[in-house]
Amino acid sequence: QLIKWFEDTFGVADVGTSYYRMGTGVILPNHSDTYKKYIKLFGCDLDDIIRVLVMPEDWKSGHYLEVDGVAITSWKAGDYFWWRGGVVHMAANIGTEKRYTIQLTGHAG
């Protein structure tokens, strides 16, 4: 159902999923994804790629997300954040509990 929601809401194809458990003390500094393998597999351009990050749990102290310079905290389970192509983003877990996310990747037709 999550993949169908992503396809219908964002009009994407060739959806890939990733489930990530970020341990305490892990920091992914500012970066932008290159999607090299995805682009090679599906013959799309970087600017056509859409990434959605779904939060399966409510925000916990020390959990952090930043997208294009905007700090994000206090999310609720089911909230999602998205960006296109090479947008700079970062994540950190300086809390005491693991931080879970579901990543969805697709490209516009």
Side-chain angles (χ1 to χ4, degrees):
Q1 288 179 334
L2 190 57
I3 292 171
K4 181 163 178 21
W5 167 84
F6 183 40
E7 290 170 337
D8 293 347
T9 302
F10 289 89
V12 295
D14 301 317
V15 174
T17 63
S18 176
Y19 307 90
Y20 185 59
R21 181 180 66 195
M22 179 179 271
T24 297
V26 175
I27 298 172
L28 293 174
N30 274 335
H31 67 283
S32 55
D33 299 316
T34 60
Y35 306 98
K36 285 183 183 179
K37 184 167 185 151
Y38 187 91
I39 289 169
K40 185 176 179 180
L41 281 171
F42 300 113
C44 57
D45 294 325
L46 179 62
D47 291 336
D48 293 331
I49 295 175
I50 296 174
R51 165 68 52 85
V52 170
L53 198 65
V54 179
M55 309 316 242
E57 298 183 321
D58 289 349
W59 175 82
K60 295 177 181 147
S61 178
H63 294 184
Y64 184 77
L65 172 66
E66 188 174 298
V67 178
D68 203 18
V70 177
I72 302 168
T73 59
S74 303
W75 56 77
K76 297 291 183 192
D79 285 351
Y80 66 91
F81 308 96
W82 71 279
W83 57 92
R84 265 189 190 270
V87 169
V88 174
H89 56 282
M90 65 92 66
N93 181 1
I94 55 172
T96 59
E97 298 182 51
K98 291 178 175 68
R99 175 186 175 272
Y100 296 91
T101 56
I102 302 168
Q103 294 179 1
L104 303 169
T105 305
H107 65 89

